[in-house]
Amino acid sequence: MKKEIALLVAAGCIGAGAATVNYDLLGRKGSKMNSPMVYRNIDYSKMKKQEQQNIGSSLDANVLAKKASGLVNGAYSAEGRFFNRGWTGANDCYTNYSNTNYRCFYNFTAHSYSYPTLSSDRGSLFYAYGPYGDIGYIERSNEYFKYIPVPDDYINPNFYTENSFSRANNQGYSFSYNNSFNFNNPVQTSPYGDGSQIQYKNFKDVRDGSSYSDRQYISVWYGAQNSANYGNAAYTSQPYTWAVEWKNDWTNVGIYVPLNAMPVKMAQNDQIKYVVVSPASYWQVPSNEIDASKTFKILKNSSKKSDIYVGSAEYPSYPSNIQKDNIYMGLRVRKPMAGGFMPSGLYYSDEARTLDNYIYTNRTVEIVAAGEGSGSNRNFANIAHAVNAITVGAVDPTSGNATAYTPNVRPRYCTSGIGNCNSSSSYNIGTTKPEISNYTHFYFNEGGYNSDKGRKYTASWGTVSTYDPYYDGTSISAAYTAGMVSDLLATNAFYRRHPEVVKATLLTSASVTGVPTYATLLPPRSYTDVNHAYPYKHESRFWVGDINKVKTHEDSYGRKEIRFKVKTSDFESNNFVAAISWLSSGDDIANLAKIPQDFDLRAYANNSGNLNDLETFLDSSLSSFDAFEKVSFSTSANYIVFVITLYSDDVNSENRGQVVLGFDMMSR
């Protein structure tokens, strides 16, 4: 059924009273998700003209000045793709004539108005005629994106080593171990007021176990990592890449974490090293100290190649304080200075707007804790409303379900402006949060000096506070996710400076068990093991800049489309999941009270690879409100053809006509 006919049928069924409310044909209010036939209160006879007006000419002087692209050296758009196991026999790979089984991992292309193609360099496994592999990709990416300084240009960062169990003595507290504590019965009443009983698990069992995060899948790279040597364990090989194409100086990923206190030891053998970034003004009271130390320990125990930068300011001063790593990531789990629950609200806030603008401008991957709800207040933390951030909820590893305290009230965008709405005000529905959930409810019991201890603080005025070493809340699940993502960036340079692709990749990686795992997010990549049957393979892409440069087609209403094909024989399975995600400026979201762009994702199958052959429909995701779309399907056809449609682009957006769009597909 054509869309125009479907609209007439829907209008007749819904009746005159529905003129101001949008429904799809399944009766879902305000949604176009997962149905190719959609009702919208739109005059389609005017769509082509309206869309042309909204998107506008990319040659318009105002558009050329927009900040969306983040491109330099005359580039007005760029696109790239990456396959973590390498395409076989692809026409766009460099050829090594001594070995016919070559693999190509990268493709990067930049465009200008004067020259259709500024650069079209590929990164293959073998060196032939130009830049190759990760080094080639990084160098080409640096040439056209905002320059990322080569780490060799910096001196080694000045790491601070913390040897104490507490610094709270500066605030009038004395510290001692609570020797009566033990892990014999790790069941506690939830500290978040939801009345549930929490069964805590040893972190290493969840991190490494095949029933949970499955890091044993790639354990050779991590080595025998525990709390005494996290981030420093020896390893025998680099399973992600062939040695000749990788430069070790680029492996560590800097993560900036704003905290209210400096991290200290939780166990006697903990190795605490981080870079202190100015300004560094902390309130080292017990609750802040424990929150900071738990965040640090989870982050380092879940990653290998991350360097942590700690500061009291919400955002780092870039790049003056960055001496070796680039700050590719941020982790935002900070609670109010007085401790307690994170502030939360119904509506998009100034905190979210600032973070969205920061991501949009700097292209860092920002992981944000969803916050902890209590009682009837199940709203998200203010900063967790940020559309461009990856907001993380909490999953209990015992039940496999979302925790009772994970927020579940859908965010809203106030039509009267930030700060001008209450619970009864007019609003637009916001994007779905959290996009990702991960495990929490941990403890560290690795024997002797490697195990955490109970903690006791005695205030100078006589108050005694005890803390059991249990790790819970969305701050822990967010730190856990950030550790995983830092290793994704460390081992696959393609994802750096592309938070839109990272979010899409997390969405697909979480589709198997409901949470991202090491096995689904970080499958090995190496030439010597290219024929090994790893079930989880990813093909990722991005498009940045002028939509008229990156679009390949237009539909019958004049909407811009990006069509491309994926060869299924490069994957191990006929079962697939794919996702797109895109960035928006915080100013646009705040001023328009909505996400300014709406993309749709459709998947088709054929055996020819013809981008115009859309006869076999597989799946679609057509949400009206989300900043991402996800589809899943099975096919035995030779090719999958994806169609990404820019359904709408608000005429009042300061970045109309510009896109920052990411894609990932995973076999499962």
Side-chain angles (χ1 to χ4, degrees):
M1 183 184 293
K2 289 187 176 181
K3 199 167 191 177
E4 298 92 327
I5 299 175
L7 291 172
L8 294 176
V9 174
C13 294
I14 295 171
T20 59
V21 181
N22 297 339
Y23 294 83
D24 67 12
L25 292 183
L26 299 180
R28 292 173 294 197
K29 181 178 178 181
S31 172
K32 57 189 181 70
M33 183 176 293
N34 295 326
S35 173
M37 299 180 296
V38 179
Y39 172 75
R40 281 192 173 195
N41 190 17
I42 293 175
D43 183 355
Y44 278 89
S45 66
K46 299 179 181 178
M47 176 58 74
K48 186 171 183 179
K49 180 178 179 181
Q50 180 180 340
E51 287 297 321
Q52 290 174 341
Q53 179 184 6
N54 283 357
I55 294 176
S57 169
S58 60
L59 294 175
D60 184 280
N62 291 329
V63 174
L64 297 184
K66 301 308 180 187
K67 62 186 179 184
S69 68
L71 299 170
V72 296
N73 289 339
Y76 288 102
S77 68
E79 55 189 286
R81 62 183 178 132
F82 167 71
F83 184 30
N84 71 316
R85 296 295 292 164
W87 299 285
T88 56
N91 292 330
D92 56 4
C93 286
Y94 290 122
T95 303
N96 181 288
Y97 295 102
S98 64
N99 191 320
T100 58
N101 189 26
Y102 61 89
R103 295 258 167 169
C104 180
F105 292 101
Y106 295 103
N107 182 304
F108 180 90
T109 304
H111 306 281
S112 74
Y113 293 114
S114 300
Y115 302 95
T117 301
L118 283 172
S119 170
S120 186
D121 284 343
R122 274 75 67 181
S124 71
L125 191 61
F126 297 101
Y127 183 85
Y129 302 115
Y132 59 97
D134 298 280
I135 296 175
Y137 173 79
I138 291 174
E139 290 176 348
R140 183 60 67 212
S141 181
N142 283 352
E143 190 173 338
Y144 292 107
F145 282 96
K146 290 181 179 179
Y147 180 62
I148 304 171
V150 178
D152 285 350
D153 292 343
Y154 295 114
I155 61 174
N156 288 329
N158 182 22
F159 280 96
Y160 170 79
T161 300
E162 178 61 75
N163 293 312
S164 67
F165 298 101
S166 176
R167 299 174 60 87
N169 59 303
N170 295 328
Q171 301 293 332
Y173 294 87
S174 61
F175 167 82
S176 62
Y177 282 128
N178 176 17
N179 292 320
S180 64
F181 173 81
N182 60 66
F183 290 109
N184 291 339
N185 184 28
V187 178
Q188 302 287 314
T189 300
S190 170
Y192 303 108
D194 54 73
S196 64
Q197 294 294 301
I198 294 177
Q199 172 77 51
Y200 293 87
K201 289 185 174 293
N202 202 351
F203 177 75
K204 189 174 182 180
D205 295 337
V206 176
R207 181 193 64 191
D208 297 341
S210 59
S211 299
Y212 301 104
S213 298
D214 203 10
R215 205 179 76 170
Q216 65 181 11
Y217 190 81
I218 48 175
S219 60
V220 65
W221 184 59
Y222 285 91
Q225 188 184 38
N226 57 36
S227 60
N229 63 11
Y230 44 68
N232 302 308
Y235 58 94
T236 58
S237 64
Q238 162 63 288
Y240 296 99
T241 184
W242 200 36
V244 72
E245 66 166 331
W246 188 253
K247 191 171 184 179
N248 287 330
D249 289 338
W250 278 320
T251 57
N252 281 36
V253 171
I255 308 175
Y256 181 75
V257 188
L259 294 171
N260 294 327
M262 297 176 69
V264 297
K265 289 186 175 185
M266 294 292 291
Q268 186 166 334
N269 280 350
D270 282 354
Q271 303 295 309
I272 310 296
K273 292 173 61 178
Y274 49 86
V275 180
V276 179
V277 179
S278 298
S281 177
Y282 301 109
W283 189 21
Q284 203 81 20
V285 297
S287 59
N288 291 342
E289 180 171 276
I290 288 175
D291 287 343
S293 302
K294 288 180 177 179
T295 296
F296 180 88
K297 186 160 186 174
I298 290 292
L299 186 55
K300 291 300 291 184
N301 266 272
S302 57
S303 67
K304 181 174 181 65
K305 304 297 285 186
S306 62
D307 286 339
I308 311 304
Y309 291 78
V310 173
S312 58
E314 194 65 33
Y315 298 94
S317 176
Y318 182 83
S320 59
N321 289 318
I322 312 308
Q323 297 174 311
K324 176 176 179 289
D325 304 307
N326 294 291
I327 295 294
Y328 290 107
M329 287 186 61
L331 171 63
R332 302 184 183 278
V333 298
R334 180 155 59 177
K335 299 178 181 180
M337 289 293 284
F341 301 126
M342 301 177 75
S344 57
L346 279 170
Y347 294 100
Y348 191 74
S349 64
D350 281 325
E351 295 96 320
R353 176 181 188 164
T354 300
L355 181 56
D356 274 332
N357 282 334
Y358 182 80
I359 298 170
Y360 199 60
T361 301
N362 296 287
R363 304 293 160 80
T364 58
V365 178
E366 300 289 334
I367 310 294
V368 180
E372 287 81 36
S374 177
S376 61
N377 182 1
R378 300 292 297 279
N379 300 324
F380 287 87
N382 286 336
I383 200 168
H385 287 247
V387 172
N388 298 333
I390 298 164
T391 302
V392 181
V395 171
D396 176 63
T398 300
S399 67
N401 298 325
T403 63
Y405 54 78
T406 294
N408 61 4
V409 177
R410 186 149 184 166
R412 303 175 180 181
Y413 305 142
C414 178
T415 56
S416 300
I418 290 177
N420 296 322
C421 279
N422 55 40
S423 59
S424 61
S425 299
S426 175
Y427 64 92
N428 291 324
I429 295 175
T431 189
T432 299
K433 293 285 184 175
E435 298 93 343
I436 297 297
S437 292
N438 212 337
Y439 294 121
T440 186
H441 301 164
F442 304 130
Y443 62 86
F444 286 81
N445 184 19
E446 300 175 19
Y449 293 144
N450 293 333
S451 296
D452 287 0
K453 304 292 185 182
R455 304 169 75 86
K456 182 168 69 174
Y457 294 87
T458 303
S460 58
W461 51 92
T463 301
V464 177
S465 302
T466 59
Y467 294 87
D468 293 341
Y470 291 117
Y471 295 65
D472 49 55
T474 62
S475 59
I476 297 303
S477 57
Y480 191 25
T481 303
M484 291 181 175
V485 172
S486 71
D487 282 343
L488 173 70
L489 271 60
T491 53
N492 295 286
F494 179 85
Y495 297 99
R496 301 181 184 186
R497 297 296 183 188
H498 289 290
E500 72 282 6
V501 186
V502 172
K503 182 181 289 189
T505 304
L506 281 169
L507 287 167
T508 61
S509 299
S511 64
V512 177
T513 64
V515 299
T517 69
Y518 290 91
T520 57
L521 187 64
L522 294 166
R525 175 166 73 90
S526 70
Y527 169 69
T528 57
D529 205 17
V530 291
N531 293 317
H532 195 101
Y534 294 103
Y536 308 115
K537 296 183 178 181
H538 290 267
E539 177 162 329
S540 301
R541 298 180 180 234
F542 67 79
W543 301 266
V544 175
D546 182 0
I547 183 61
N548 289 308
K549 282 290 184 181
V550 298
K551 63 104 174 176
T552 61
H553 294 71
E554 291 187 6
D555 70 7
S556 58
Y557 301 108
R559 294 186 290 257
K560 314 298 183 184
E561 291 183 343
I562 298 172
R563 297 187 187 184
F564 59 95
K565 63 185 177 183
V566 175
K567 189 177 181 181
T568 58
S569 61
D570 278 330
F571 295 83
E572 299 292 336
S573 167
N574 291 332
N575 303 313
F576 302 94
V577 59
I580 59 173
S581 173
W582 58 96
L583 304 186
S584 303
S585 82
D587 291 339
D588 269 346
I589 297 169
N591 295 333
L592 302 173
K594 67 175 184 178
I595 298 170
Q597 293 177 324
D598 180 16
F599 288 91
D600 292 341
L601 176 63
R602 295 177 175 86
Y604 302 85
N606 66 42
N607 289 318
S608 65
N610 188 334
L611 297 181
N612 295 315
D613 180 0
L614 307 179
E615 292 299 319
T616 304
F617 172 78
L618 295 174
D619 196 13
S620 65
S621 183
L622 313 171
S623 167
S624 295
F625 308 110
D626 289 331
F628 60 89
E629 306 284 356
K630 185 171 74 170
V631 296
S632 59
F633 50 86
S634 299
T635 182
S636 58
N638 293 338
Y639 294 94
I640 302 165
V641 175
F642 287 99
V643 179
I644 302 174
T645 305
L646 180 56
Y647 192 91
S648 63
D649 192 0
D650 195 282
V651 66
N652 294 311
S653 167
E654 66 179 7
N655 294 291
R656 65 185 178 91
Q658 299 284 305
V659 299
V660 184
L661 175 66
F663 165 88
D664 182 73
M665 186 183 85
M666 185 188 78
S667 62
R668 56 179 183 168

